[in-house]
Amino acid sequence: MKRFSKYFLLVAALGIVALAIDYWNVTRKERLLSNAVSQIGGRIGSIPSWPLGTEYRITLAAFPTPGQCEQLKIANKMRGWVGIAFEGGELTAYERDRLRRDLERCQLFVVQDGKMGPMDGAGTNRTNH
């Protein structure tokens, strides 16, 4: 019985360490995403559900530069659902293609005339990590 108790305590301790590392990793990625969105001048909100995943809603008023888009790619690595809406102005076909390529695991939307709709064919892969 003592042997079982030691193994149980060891497994419990390893589980706690694994959860702590996971929590640290998730919060680190959230800070990176939040900083990237802030640098673009956007807004971010989330509905947390750690450790299962989180729903992230991002609204960008400006199209990201290539450098900003590179930073925004952290959205592909988030656990949960990530929706990114682009406001103000029509996106060119090149910009849409670049967004689809760079943010392949995100759901992409455009806001036109105050209404949000999906970006044509964007975000077909709905699984985030």
Side-chain angles (χ1 to χ4, degrees), residues 13-81:
L14 289 174
I16 290 170
V17 169
L19 285 173
I21 291 170
D22 182 62
Y23 183 77
W24 174 81
N25 191 37
V26 167
T27 56
R28 179 187 60 82
K29 288 191 286 187
E30 285 178 343
R31 276 193 307 270
L32 290 172
L33 180 61
S34 181
N35 289 339
V37 171
S38 294
Q39 287 179 1
I40 300 169
R43 299 180 312 270
I44 184 171
S46 64
I47 302 172
S49 180
W50 181 85
L52 302 175
T54 300
E55 179 178 318
Y56 300 93
R57 295 180 180 205
I58 299 168
T59 305
L60 301 176
F63 187 78
T65 65
Q68 291 170 331
C69 210
E70 194 63 36
Q71 290 179 331
L72 197 58
K73 283 183 181 181
I74 189 71
N76 291 321
K77 297 180 181 180
M78 303 307 290
R79 184 183 306 152
W81 184 88

Side-chain angles (χ1 to χ4, degrees), residues 73 76 94 96-104:
K73 283 183 181 181
N76 291 321
Y94 171 77
R96 288 175 188 256
D97 289 343
R98 192 174 100 196
L99 288 170
R100 286 186 192 106
R101 184 183 65 244
D102 290 348
L103 302 170
E104 74 272 0

Side-chain angles (χ1 to χ4, degrees), residues 110-122:
V110 291
V111 179
Q112 293 177 336
D113 300 326
K115 296 179 182 179
M116 186 170 71
M119 189 180 291
D120 303 329

